[in-house]
Structures are given as structure tokens and as C-alpha cells.
Amino acid sequence: MLDFSFFTWDVFQGYILKGLYFSLALTAVATLGGIFFGTILALMRLSGKKYLDMPAAIYVNGMRSIPLLMVLLWFFLLVPLLIGRPIGAELSAVVTFIAFEAAYFSEIMRAGIQSIPRGQVHAGQALGMSYGQNMKLVILPQAFRNMLPILLTQTIILFQDTSLVYIITAHDMLHGFSTAGANLSQPREAYILAAVFYFVICFGLSWLVKKLQAKIAIIR
């Protein structure tokens, strides 16, 4: 028999809340950092210059070919050996997620930029804009609007992936539920509740993405 009576506000506040904050903060930071560096990588790949395109392509394809869990473990275990001191589970998670997600956001950004009609580029050039001005004022704003639902969907996937930091003992939401279950002798119930929390959050965000996608379709 399952007994969920142990799950009270005090338990949530004492065990889960801190982990939930970290999971959400990690998602937000990794999304912003991933989009920033992903945009740079996308522009490098679209530059038409081999000395920019090749390193970016190697990085993106390399990262996309390795499981996130392996990258997380490599960074957490190997970087302290190289620098001679530990860097902590939370910092390892932040750096790893930004570096990993940048590869995925790069491909989204590259596809979004390439989806903009070439006439928009030519119009900017006709107005005397430089490549940077054209990208900043004409191409990227339209690309971001077109890609917003996909970017948000990737962010939802990123939030689900934050549960992997449990393996390096970072205090995320899953770690909070696991600790609560172990300390209160209710491990099965704790993991079921963790699954419910992840489902509710991700389902709610997916519903918002669908609504946003419908509004963008109307604007088009």
C-alpha cells in the first residue's frame, strides 16, 4: 500500500523547494547561455569562412554525438584533476548544460536564420546595412519569432534533463525527493511524486507552447 500522507508543506519546504529552485535556475541559465553561444556558433557556420565554419561544425557535431550524462560526468570528474581543485556539483552542472545545449540551440538558430527569405537579406543590403547590422536588425528578430516555439520546446526538454545532475549529487528537484524519501522511509512514494511534479510542470509548459505557436501562426 502506498502512503502519501508524509508529503506535507513542511516536507516540501524542507526537502523539495531548494531543489526545485535549482532545477528552474539551471534551466533558465542554460537556456540563455545556450541560445547566446548557440547563436554565435550558428553565425560561424553560416559565415562561409572555413576557419569559422569548421571549428563550429566539429564542436556542434561532437557535442550532439555524446550523451549529456557522459559530458556531465567528464566535466565533474576530469576538470578538477586538470585544475587541481574541486569546482562543485552545481557549477559543473551549469557549465556542462550551457556547453551542451549550445550545440542544440545552434542547429535551431541556424535553421531559423536559413528560413528567412533571401529577399530580406538583399533588402537590408540595398539599404546599405553591413552584415552585422543586417543580422541584428532584420534577420535575427524574424528568426527568433519563427523559432520561439521550438526554442521553448527545447527548454522543456532541458528542464527534464536537469534530473541528470542527481548523478553528481547536485541538489536538484529529484535529489530533494530522493532525500525526503530516504529520510522518511517512503522512497517509492517520493519517486512517484517526483514523476508527478515533472509531468505537471512539463505538461503545463507544453500547453503554453502550443498556445504561443497558434498565436504566431495567426500573426504570420
Side-chain angles (χ1 to χ4, degrees), residues 88-127:
E90 282 74 17
L91 181 58
S92 295
V94 170
V95 175
T96 300
F97 269 75
I98 291 176
F100 189 83
E101 293 300 325
Y104 284 84
F105 282 118
S106 169
E107 291 299 278
I108 296 173
M109 294 300 302
R110 186 162 70 101
I113 293 172
Q114 290 178 325
S115 70
I116 303 301
R118 296 298 298 173
Q120 298 286 330
V121 179
H122 297 153
Q125 293 173 344
L127 293 173

Side-chain angles (χ1 to χ4, degrees), residues 27-40 97-99 101-102 105:
T27 301
V29 171
T31 298
L32 295 175
I35 290 175
F36 176 77
F37 290 108
T39 302
I40 294 175
F97 269 75
I98 291 176
E101 293 300 325
F105 282 118

Side-chain angles (χ1 to χ4, degrees), residues 61-77:
N61 293 328
M63 276 293 187
R64 285 165 58 89
S65 301
I66 304 173
L68 173 58
L69 182 60
M70 294 299 300
V71 180
L72 187 62
L73 286 173
W74 287 346
F75 193 90
F76 179 69
L77 297 174

Side-chain angles (χ1 to χ4, degrees), residues 74-87:
W74 287 346
F75 193 90
F76 179 69
L77 297 174
L78 297 181
V79 170
L81 294 177
L82 297 176
I83 64 177
R85 61 183 180 84
I87 60 175

Side-chain angles (χ1 to χ4, degrees), residues 134-160:
N134 209 355
M135 277 290 175
K136 179 181 178 181
L137 301 175
V138 179
I139 306 302
L140 287 179
Q142 297 182 74
F144 270 113
R145 186 192 67 185
N146 295 340
M147 293 180 299
L148 190 55
I150 303 175
L151 292 174
L152 293 177
T153 299
Q154 182 63 29
T155 301
I156 295 171
I157 296 172
L158 197 164
F159 173 73
Q160 295 172 348

